[in-house]
């Protein structure tokens, strides 16, 4: 081979892209539906501005106002009759007080945990990993139920405007979840932009309704609805409030109203989705969200008690739709705006369901990184989102919809218990952090967080008792089972990590004292010769070939072909009888016999002839995989499958190796003087000012380039310190070689690097030796 420093050698070139494997059909389908994959280095760009964050993260609690008041009335009316409307406002005031306390607590959470600060992180940092799993289970259950209940409530809003769609309730709810899943698989930022507008439409439409309602209330034109309408909940008899039964009913109604507060933790779970400074933008969004939520809950409750809006047994029309329709009236403009309000309500509920697709994958990702959930939940998908978490969420919510028949009243029984458990852990965890750390204003923060934790714990106890027979027992039973499962999975991961940990006595066991290689031979052909060639590259102590005899005539043919083929003259072949024709067993017996001595390691090479398509799999078996599977379980034995693509050989894409003819060397040109290396008039300089594409750099000339770092290759610790860095731009790539160092502070794969220096070569590729450089931020 010609050397690069001789003048008759071809000039080295910049690195160029190689041909990639064709995309499989499944990937092409994914790309068609989801679009082009996002580069992982663009992950930082998938951030949300405050106006979009309010849409994607705040829509869950804001949309909860659409059914929170109704659920309070569902608990009160069958027991207290019309007196329920007098109790509605005090009950709403209690709910809003809890809202203020929890909001202040989560504001402290965001200030302390400035990237991701949900209940899981707070519990892990302050109470340990076991308590963190309780928070994880609570949040997981909450997000699954949120997706189901918000979808069902959104469909109820549609049916309130168009009652003839009631038979299609389940189908519509399923369709909504499928559409939301697809939208979020396309990317977080896209989904957030889509659902930002409905949030604002709902808020503006409801504030408009409230304004008109206040005007009609002040002028005495606000009507009162008839309470004796077929389909409404039966009216109970008025009774005293101090009996045990009445207190129980009041607590149950309060627990129902707690559903208005679900989703408050979504912002603290998704602080990392905000633009920088994350925590400051997240705190502002949290305050805006809580203010809007409180105003909506107060307004809906006020007008519901003014007009006597009765809940219906089939959940349609909803209380919020009755409030809007009554205030807007029966005029043409009023009916048009009522349809608009119902559309906005439907969209905000669906946007609230969409919030879970941002928060749920983050929570399960943290639990999986800690080893309490399967590791595949940490992998990012086509659009840099946690797509596996998205599939788990949507699949679980669909299952819940089938079980409950998409009924909001049934789903509420599963709802607030999980989220208030997370509120409890978060509040108490922050209180512990305040009292331990004693930072600035820690007493005030301790009071707020402690109060939030105690109040939330009280709600959990109330909810578990009063909702136990209505479905809360499922959460009470399933929750501990899930926590125990998480802990058991973690013990499994720890056992695996312990088994794979490099012990002190094994740190220097870097070489094999006696390494033998055996090639299993089924026929003498190019695939077998390729396996033998690879075996020689392993530099084994002994290299053998083995054929397990299933047919004596075939064994004789293999022996003759082996002896007559000069490519394997140095490789002895052994024929071993296999009377029961069980090749995996024979391979295991052979491996055990060869590795009887403790210092011997064996590599079995199995040539596999690869055939494409269904016909290839139909015509040929998969013996190599059957042999390799049990071999991999043996100590000091490695089974390596050496593939050989037959179809490419048949199609002519690969030319089989042939005997090479001696190369006829052409007379070289006279050696030129150094002055002839440069063109006439070329300026000699020790610095290249002009930036140039990497594909245009030339050998033996200075180059000034900029590109993305795609590979970093430090030298091994037992060799001279060197560092090679590959950078690429649109035109090509080049290697930067640094002598005397193994690392550059702040440099990582994906960094943009500017380099300037003399272009040399190494192994036929252009290389810039010891360039000056600058890391671009």
């Amino acid at each position: 081979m010609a050397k690069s420093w001789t003048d008759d050698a071809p000039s080295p070139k910049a690195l160029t892209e190689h041909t990639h494997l064709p995309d499989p059909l499944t990937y092409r389908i994914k790309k068609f539906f989801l679009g082009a994959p996002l580069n992982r280095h663009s992950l930082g760009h998938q951030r949300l501005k405050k106006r979009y964050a309010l849409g994607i993260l705040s829509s869950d609690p804001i949309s909860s106002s659409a059914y929170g008041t109704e659920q309070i009335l569902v608990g009160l009316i069958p027991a207290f009759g019309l007196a329920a409307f007098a109790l509605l406002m005090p009950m709403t005031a209690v709910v809003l007080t809890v809202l203020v306390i929890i909001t202040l607590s989560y504001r402290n959470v965001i200030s302390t945990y400035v990237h991701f600060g949900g209940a899981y992180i707070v519990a892990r940092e302050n109470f340990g990993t076991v308590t963190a799993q309780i928070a994880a289970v609570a949040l997981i259950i909450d997000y699954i139920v949120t997706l189901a209940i918000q979808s069902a409530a959104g469909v109820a809003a549609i049916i309130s405007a168009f009652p003839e769609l009631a038979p299609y309730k389940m189908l519509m709810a399923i369709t909504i979840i499928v559409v939301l899943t697809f939208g979020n698989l396309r990317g977080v930022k896209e989904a957030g932009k889509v659902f930002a507008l409905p949030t604002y439409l709902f808020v503006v439409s409801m504030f408009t309704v409230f304004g008109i309602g206040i005007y009609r209330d002040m002028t005495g034109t606000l009507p009162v609805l008839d309470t004796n309408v077929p389909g409404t909940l039966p009216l109970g008899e008025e009774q005293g409030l101090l009996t045990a039964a009445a207190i129980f009913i009041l607590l149950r109604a309060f627990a129902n109203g707690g559903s208005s507060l679900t989703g408050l933790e979504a912002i603290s779970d998704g602080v990392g989705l905000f633009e920088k400074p994350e925590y400051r933008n997240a705190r502002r969004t949290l305050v805006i969200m809580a203010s809007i939520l409180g105003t909506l809950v107060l307004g809906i409750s006020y007008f519901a008690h003014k007009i006597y809006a009765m809940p219906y047994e089939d959940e349609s029309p909803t209380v919020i739709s009755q409030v809007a329709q009554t205030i807007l009236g029966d005029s043409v403009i009023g009916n048009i705006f009522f349809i608009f309000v119902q559309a906005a309500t439907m969209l905000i509920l669906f946007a609230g369901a969409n919030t879970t697709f941002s928060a749920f994958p983050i929570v399960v990702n943290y639990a999986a990184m800690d080893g309490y959930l399967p590791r595949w939940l940490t992998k990012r998908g086509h659009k840099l989102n946690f797509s596996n978490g998205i599939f788990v969420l949507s699949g679980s919510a669909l299952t819940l919809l089938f079980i409950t028949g998409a009924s909001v009243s049934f789903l509420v029984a599963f709802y607030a218990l999980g989220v208030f458990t997370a509120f409890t852990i978060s509040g108490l965890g922050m209180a512990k952090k305040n009292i331990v750390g004693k930072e600035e204003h820690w007493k005030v923060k301790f009071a707020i967080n402690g109060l939030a934790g105690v109040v939330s714990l009280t709600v959990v106890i109330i909810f578990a008792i009063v909702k136990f027979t209505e479905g809360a027992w499922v959460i009470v039973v399933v929750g501990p089972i899930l926590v125990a499962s998480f802990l058991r999975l973690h013990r499994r991961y720890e056992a695996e990590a312990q088994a794979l940990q490099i012990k002190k006595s094994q740190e220097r066991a870097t070489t094999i004292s006696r390494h033998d290689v055996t090639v299993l031979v089924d026929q003498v052909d190019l695939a077998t010769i390729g396996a033998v060639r690879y075996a020689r590259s392993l530099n084994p102590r002994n290299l053998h070939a083995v054929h397990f005899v299933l047919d004596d005539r075939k064994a004789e043919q293999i022996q003759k072909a082996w002896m007559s083929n000069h490519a394997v003259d140095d490789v002895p072949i052994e024929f071993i009888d296999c009377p029961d024709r069980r090749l995996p067993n024979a391979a295991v017996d052979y491996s055990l016999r060869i590795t009887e001595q403790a210092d011997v390691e064996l590599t079995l090479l199995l040539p596999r002839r690869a055939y494409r398509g269904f016909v290839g799999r139909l015509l040929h078996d998969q013996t190599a995989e059957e042999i390799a599977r049990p071999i991999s379980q043996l100590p000091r034995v490695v089974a390596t499958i050496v593939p050989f693509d037959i179809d490419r050989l048949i199609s002519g894409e690969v030319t089989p190796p042939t005997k090479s003819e001696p190369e006829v060397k052409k007379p070289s040109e006279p050696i030129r003087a150094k002055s002839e290396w440069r063109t006439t008039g070329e300026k000699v300089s020790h610095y290249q000012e002009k930036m140039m594409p990497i594909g245009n750099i030339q050998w033996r000339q200075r180059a000034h380039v900029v590109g993305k770092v795609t590979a970093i290759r430090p030298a091994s610790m037992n060799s001279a310190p060197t560092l090679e860095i590959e950078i690429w731009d649109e035109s090509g790539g080049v290697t930067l070689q640094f002598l005397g160092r193994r690392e550059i502070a702040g440099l990582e794969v994906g960094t943009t690097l500017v380099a300037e220096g003399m272009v040399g070569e190494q192994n036929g590729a252009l290389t810039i030796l010891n360039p000056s450089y600058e890391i671009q931020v």
Side-chain angles (χ1 to χ4, degrees):
M1 179 182 292
K3 301 298 182 183
S4 60
W5 56 79
T6 61
D7 290 321
D8 59 346
S11 297
K13 299 179 180 179
L15 302 174
T16 56
E17 289 278 2
H18 296 287
T19 303
H20 294 284
L21 293 174
D23 294 334
L25 177 61
T26 54
Y27 184 83
R28 293 200 299 271
I29 294 175
K30 180 195 294 186
K31 189 175 180 180
F32 175 79
F33 284 106
L34 303 183
L38 291 177
N39 190 305
R40 70 180 184 87
H41 300 299
S42 66
L43 182 61
H45 301 292
Q46 299 299 299
R47 300 298 185 98
L48 301 174
K49 297 180 183 295
K50 290 193 293 293
R51 60 179 179 271
Y52 292 130
L54 187 63
I56 192 173
L57 297 178
S58 303
S59 52
D60 178 11
I62 289 176
S63 63
S64 299
S65 63
Y67 51 82
T69 298
E70 180 170 350
Q71 291 305 313
I72 295 177
L73 291 173
V74 167
L76 293 176
I77 286 177
F80 297 102
L82 295 180
F85 292 103
L87 297 172
L88 178 59
M89 291 309 294
M91 192 70 68
T92 301
V94 176
V95 172
L96 294 182
T97 302
V98 176
L99 168 64
V100 172
I101 295 171
I102 294 177
T103 300
L104 292 175
S105 177
Y106 268 103
R107 192 171 180 270
N108 291 335
V109 171
I110 294 172
S111 300
T112 304
Y113 298 95
V114 296
H115 294 292
F116 291 99
Y120 181 84
I121 302 298
V122 175
R124 187 183 66 182
E125 297 297 325
N126 297 285
F127 293 127
T129 54
V130 175
T131 306
Q133 303 323 302
I134 299 176
V137 168
L139 290 173
I140 287 171
I141 293 174
D142 170 50
Y143 291 135
I144 292 173
V145 178
T146 296
L147 177 56
I149 197 172
Q150 298 283 64
S151 301
V155 171
I158 299 174
I159 296 174
S160 296
F162 305 100
E164 60 274 13
L165 296 177
Y168 306 101
K169 177 180 179 180
M170 178 64 76
L171 179 61
M172 288 191 292
I174 294 172
T175 301
I176 291 305
I177 291 181
V178 171
V179 171
L180 291 176
T181 301
F182 173 75
N184 280 273
L185 289 174
R186 287 191 63 90
V188 172
K189 193 170 185 178
E190 290 83 348
K193 288 185 176 181
V194 169
F195 287 101
L197 181 60
T199 301
Y200 297 120
L201 288 179
F202 175 74
V203 172
V204 170
S205 64
M206 289 307 301
F207 281 11
T208 303
V209 169
F210 294 161
I212 297 173
I214 293 172
Y215 171 79
R216 296 192 66 179
D217 187 27
M218 294 175 62
T219 58
T221 58
L222 185 66
V224 177
L225 300 179
D226 185 6
T227 57
N228 295 317
V229 178
T232 59
L233 292 179
L235 287 171
E237 297 294 333
E238 296 185 12
Q239 56 179 298
L241 300 179
L242 298 180
T243 64
I247 293 174
F248 182 85
I249 293 169
L250 289 172
L251 291 176
R252 185 170 61 185
F254 169 69
N256 283 358
S259 61
S260 299
L261 307 184
T262 56
L264 285 176
E265 78 289 343
I267 289 182
S268 65
D269 287 338
V271 177
L273 297 175
F274 284 81
E275 288 188 337
K276 296 180 179 180
E278 295 95 337
Y279 78 95
R280 188 174 301 166
N281 291 329
R283 284 173 52 181
R284 292 174 180 173
T285 305
L286 175 66
V287 172
I288 295 172
M289 177 191 72
S291 302
I292 294 174
L293 173 60
T295 305
L296 290 171
V297 172
L298 180 62
I300 295 171
S301 293
Y302 176 78
F303 287 108
H305 108 278
K306 276 288 185 178
I307 67 173
Y308 282 22
M310 292 285 293
Y312 281 71
E313 291 182 333
D314 62 356
E315 302 175 356
S316 179
T318 60
V319 167
I320 188 175
S321 69
Q322 294 178 59
V323 168
Q325 191 169 32
T326 302
I327 290 175
L328 295 174
D330 295 328
S331 65
V332 175
I333 296 178
N335 286 328
I336 293 175
F337 196 73
F338 169 70
I339 297 297
F340 177 81
V341 171
Q342 287 303 102
T345 304
M346 171 198 69
L347 292 176
I348 187 65
L349 287 164
F350 294 156
N354 181 72
T355 302
T356 61
F357 287 98
S358 299
F360 178 90
I362 293 174
V363 172
V364 296
N365 168 61
Y366 270 106
M369 286 195 299
D370 290 340
Y372 291 93
L373 282 175
R375 294 280 167 76
W376 45 264
L377 289 170
T378 64
K379 294 182 179 179
R380 293 189 179 270
H382 197 72
K383 289 289 188 176
L384 295 180
N385 44 29
F386 298 108
S387 53
N388 290 330
I390 291 175
F391 283 121
V392 171
L393 171 64
S394 57
S396 302
L398 287 172
T399 302
L400 197 57
L401 279 181
F402 282 115
I403 294 174
T404 61
S407 170
V408 175
S409 296
F410 287 149
L411 287 167
V412 164
F414 301 102
Y415 202 13
L417 186 59
V419 70
F420 273 95
T421 301
F423 290 166
T424 301
I425 295 174
S426 178
L428 296 179
M430 287 300 299
K432 179 182 177 182
K433 185 175 183 65
N434 296 145
I435 202 170
V436 172
K438 289 184 172 58
E439 299 174 353
E440 186 179 4
H441 306 303
W442 70 271
K443 292 183 179 179
V444 176
K445 295 178 180 179
F446 171 77
I448 294 173
N449 295 321
L451 181 61
V454 172
V455 169
S456 299
L457 179 60
T458 304
V459 175
V460 168
I461 296 172
I462 293 172
F463 201 99
I465 295 174
V466 303
K467 286 286 186 178
F468 188 82
T469 58
E470 299 179 19
W473 67 269
V474 176
I475 308 301
V476 173
V477 172
V478 171
I481 293 176
L482 289 177
V483 172
S485 301
F486 287 10
L487 296 176
R488 182 172 183 178
L489 180 63
H490 182 67
R491 288 195 295 269
R492 172 67 183 183
Y493 274 132
E494 282 190 327
E496 292 176 358
Q498 187 67 26
L500 294 173
Q501 188 176 9
I502 301 175
K503 299 177 176 59
K504 199 71 177 177
S505 60
Q506 298 171 328
E507 287 184 354
R508 299 191 61 83
T510 56
T511 60
I512 302 171
S513 57
R514 299 173 64 186
H515 179 212
D516 294 344
V517 176
T518 298
V519 180
L520 300 188
V521 178
D522 183 54
Q523 52 187 314
V524 183
D525 56 11
L526 285 176
T528 302
I529 299 302
V532 171
R533 185 184 301 114
Y534 173 66
R536 290 194 184 100
S537 70
L538 299 178
N539 297 320
R541 182 191 63 156
N542 294 316
L543 174 58
H544 293 89
V546 167
H547 172 71
F548 295 111
V549 180
L550 306 180
D551 183 289
D552 292 328
R553 181 173 298 179
K554 182 177 180 179
E556 184 178 351
Q557 293 172 352
I558 289 176
Q559 184 177 17
K560 290 181 180 178
W562 194 267
M563 297 304 178
S564 62
N565 195 312
H566 297 298
V568 292
D569 282 344
D570 59 330
V571 182
I573 187 169
E574 180 179 0
F575 294 86
I576 299 176
D577 188 22
C578 185
D580 59 0
R581 298 172 303 284
R582 298 169 67 184
L583 288 175
N585 283 3
V588 169
D589 291 340
Y590 172 80
S591 301
L592 292 173
R593 178 164 53 87
I594 295 299
T595 58
E596 284 180 345
Q597 299 183 12
D599 61 342
V600 175
E601 299 202 12
L602 174 66
T603 296
L604 283 182
L605 299 184
L606 296 87
R608 183 184 67 182
R609 296 146 189 88
Y611 304 90
R612 301 178 194 172
F614 172 76
V615 176
R617 291 191 293 272
L618 181 65
L619 297 179
H620 304 278
D621 59 20
Q622 304 294 320
T623 307
E625 285 80 359
E626 296 175 5
I627 295 175
R629 195 174 299 114
I631 290 296
S632 63
Q633 302 175 12
L634 300 178
R636 294 180 287 109
V637 181
V638 176
T640 301
I641 296 176
V642 184
F644 192 85
D645 194 334
I646 301 297
D647 288 319
R648 292 186 64 189
L649 193 62
I650 294 174
S651 63
E653 296 179 30
V654 176
T655 305
T658 57
K659 185 177 180 180
S660 59
E661 297 294 332
E663 180 182 359
V664 179
K665 293 186 178 182
K666 297 181 180 180
S668 59
E669 297 178 2
I671 299 177
R672 296 171 293 172
K674 290 184 178 180
S675 58
E676 298 180 47
W677 291 351
R678 307 183 185 91
T679 58
T680 306
E682 181 180 350
K683 182 180 178 181
V684 180
S685 173
H686 292 287
Y687 184 79
Q688 173 59 260
E689 293 283 354
K690 184 179 179 182
M691 195 78 70
M692 63 183 65
I694 294 178
N696 293 349
I697 65 176
Q698 296 183 16
W699 184 33
R700 297 174 175 171
Q701 294 187 13
R702 300 193 72 85
H704 195 176
V705 296
V706 59
K708 288 279 188 182
V709 176
T710 60
I712 300 175
R713 295 186 292 269
S716 61
M717 297 304 295
N718 60 356
S719 62
T722 59
L723 178 66
E724 292 185 355
I725 298 170
E726 243 180 59
I727 63 171
W728 287 74
D729 63 9
E730 294 80 1
S731 63
V734 67
T735 300
L736 312 179
Q737 188 178 71
F738 297 88
L739 303 180
R741 64 196 310 176
R742 288 191 176 89
E743 63 178 352
I744 294 177
L747 185 72
E748 58 187 20
V749 174
T751 302
T752 300
L753 190 68
V754 179
E756 193 281 332
M758 178 62 72
V759 180
E761 70 83 35
Q762 186 176 28
N763 297 326
L766 293 178
T767 302
I768 302 179
L769 182 63
N770 281 334
S772 58
Y773 66 90
E774 177 186 354
I775 298 176
Q776 291 190 343
V777 180

